[in-house]
Amino acid sequence: MLKGRLQAMTNSKTYFVAGAGAFGGWTALHLRRTGARVILADAWGPGNSRSSSGGETRIIRGTYGPDQPYTHLTARAFALWHEHTQRWGKKLFQRTGVLWLVRGDGVYERASLAVLREAGIPAEEISPAEVARRYPQMNPEGVKWAILEPESGLLYARQACQAVAEAFETEGGELRLAAVARLEISGGELRRVHFSDGTSLTADAYVFACGPWLGSLFPDVIGDLVRPTRQDVVFFGTPAGDTRFTEKQLPVWLDRGERIYYGIPGNQWRGFKVADDTRGEAFDPTNGERTVAPEFVARVREFLALRFPALQHAPLVETRVCQYENTPDYHFIVDQHPAAGNCWLVGGGSGHGFKHGPALGEMVAAAVSQGKTPDPFFRLSRFTR
């Protein structure tokens, strides 16, 4: 039925998308559903270990403070994640609830509650005593209050990237393993893309969703506006047969203290995942060595001693080094290249982009194929005011 609908469409254009992560993969899929020919290229493949969309799990939550588009974008993404989980028969989302622990003045979180209600994302305010009652494995010391989003949870990142790419190909898209090497821009348009294997292609419009490589590919327009940083992630082993630290008994959590630690229980039996949202040092996503620093592990153990005392001496069972691709204000970039109107630059996920992939891809596809204006919040011009 879907194939027949695609063939009935009249879009005769060709689109090229670089990057098969959360932003690029979903953009390519939405573009393909307009009936156009779409080529999606990735240097190492969907969900690969160098990409910002790799790894096992990501958080999906709506708490974002006031005056921002992300909570409503999350609400739309929720609908699309659920729709495609059912359509593909694959488990991409796990509802665990998301618990946001407030240790500061709470202004950011208090403002979030109104936006969550407006966007239709369920949320409740709970006290430290209630946190301790519901989750006795968690010590609420220092917590002033908390937000619980009961319908939020985790996404299976690598699986989702691969599921999107598989659907894209099934629906007639063309997936290539290729690295962009050079671009031909002239006369206000991008004319041709050249790849590292010597091949090239032309298209009616181009989307570059290259994650941490966006700045190096467009040094004059993006450059340091997208800055990759090293982000260490650790997994601790829980006691044998103990379900207290799995997604069955513990929500995804974020602890907003001096540093913002967050964790995802379960992780398909990999262990208790803990990471630090504090931006790390500059990192080379292509050639950087991905070995977690011992100092980071020691710092996390200090945090565990406070918040999850039973895991203070838990064994380290797995580690990862991933990266954020940060913009100066940590907001996304969705805009046309100033010297090439048929070239779209999409990136700056800044450590929180994965969850938005389906909705952001929908927005970008509408801009490319229908001329709709993306949210002005994401324009490049904000950096030159």
Side-chain angles (χ1 to χ4, degrees):
M1 178 67 77
L2 180 59
K3 184 177 180 182
R5 289 202 303 270
L6 287 173
Q7 290 174 337
M9 292 179 182
T10 58
N11 190 343
S12 60
K13 296 192 179 288
T14 296
Y15 301 129
F16 170 72
V17 180
F23 289 177
W26 282 103
T27 296
L29 182 60
H30 285 299
L31 284 171
R32 175 57 196 149
R33 288 175 177 170
T34 70
R37 180 191 178 203
V38 184
I39 301 101
L40 171 63
D42 195 281
W44 291 284
N48 71 81
S49 293
R50 283 182 172 100
S51 71
S52 297
S53 294
E56 274 54 58
T57 50
R58 293 292 188 281
I59 297 172
I60 181 165
R61 45 87 183 179
T63 298
Y64 266 103
D67 305 322
Q68 42 74 28
Y70 299 113
T71 301
H72 286 274
L73 200 63
T74 298
R76 176 58 183 156
F78 261 125
L80 291 169
W81 281 114
H82 287 303
E83 174 191 328
H84 287 83
T85 293
Q86 294 177 352
R87 178 186 291 194
W88 297 334
K90 294 182 178 179
K91 190 173 183 180
L92 307 179
F93 166 75
Q94 174 72 50
R95 183 177 67 84
T96 63
V98 171
L99 183 68
W100 187 291
L101 304 172
V102 182
R103 289 209 266 171
D105 58 20
V107 172
Y108 176 95
E109 290 83 4
R110 188 71 62 192
S112 297
L113 290 171
V115 187
L116 286 163
R117 285 193 294 270
E118 184 181 276
I121 297 176
E124 59 179 303
E125 178 182 341
I126 61 176
S127 67
E130 184 63 13
V131 169
R133 187 189 72 78
R134 296 189 193 187
Y135 313 112
Q137 64 275 65
M138 179 182 289
N139 171 24
E141 180 182 337
V143 174
K144 296 181 178 179
W145 59 284
I147 294 175
L148 177 65
E149 296 181 29
E151 299 299 315
S152 299
L154 64 90
L155 298 163
Y156 295 107
R158 190 194 315 275
Q159 284 182 216
C161 288
Q162 293 169 352
V164 170
E166 182 181 328
F168 170 72
E169 288 193 284
T170 299
E171 295 181 26
E174 302 171 38
L175 177 64
R176 297 184 185 178
L177 193 66
V180 175
R182 185 167 60 87
L183 308 173
E184 290 183 27
I185 297 177
S186 65
E189 289 190 347
L190 175 54
R191 304 287 181 178
R192 182 175 290 271
V193 172
H194 295 264
F195 300 102
S196 56
D197 62 3
T199 62
S200 65
L201 64 76
T202 61
D204 294 286
Y206 305 79
V207 177
F208 290 87
C210 305
W213 297 276
L214 194 63
S216 59
L217 194 57
F218 296 94
D220 296 334
V221 177
I222 300 296
D224 289 340
L225 292 179
V226 172
R227 179 176 175 268
T229 56
R230 170 196 174 102
Q231 305 297 143
D232 290 354
V233 179
V234 288
F235 297 78
F236 291 96
T238 57
D242 189 341
T243 61
R244 290 177 301 161
F245 301 99
T246 68
E247 60 269 40
K248 295 184 183 210
Q249 294 191 40
L250 191 66
V252 169
W253 53 270
L254 301 97
D255 191 316
R256 195 164 182 256
E258 186 176 333
R259 307 180 79 95
I260 302 178
Y261 286 103
Y262 66 90
I264 302 179
N267 293 281
Q268 298 177 313
W269 314 114
R270 274 181 166 77
F272 190 74
K273 174 180 175 179
V274 184
D276 184 351
D277 191 57
T278 308
R279 271 46 178 180
E281 62 190 27
F283 187 68
D284 177 354
T286 302
N287 299 307
E289 293 286 342
R290 295 176 183 265
T291 303
V292 167
E295 308 83 58
F296 175 75
V297 178
R299 193 166 66 242
V300 173
R301 284 195 184 281
E302 288 182 15
F303 170 78
L304 287 177
L306 167 68
R307 190 64 69 222
F308 299 96
L311 297 181
Q312 180 179 1
H313 302 295
L316 184 67
V317 294
E318 192 170 326
T319 66
R320 281 188 60 82
V321 175
C322 47
Q323 72 272 324
Y324 290 168
E325 68 278 1
N326 307 286
T327 60
D329 57 9
Y330 304 131
H331 298 312
F332 306 158
I333 293 171
V334 180
D335 208 347
Q336 290 164 290
H337 191 294
N342 64 338
C343 174
W344 286 85
L345 308 177
V346 180
S350 302
H352 66 104
F354 190 92
K355 70 179 77 63
H356 302 291
L360 194 77
E362 183 179 59
M363 179 193 301
V364 176
V368 173
S369 64
Q370 302 171 43
K372 292 188 177 180
T373 303
D375 194 317
F377 198 86
F378 304 134
R379 286 178 181 163
L380 276 166
S381 59
R382 71 184 190 268
F383 298 116
T384 58
R385 290 173 189 154

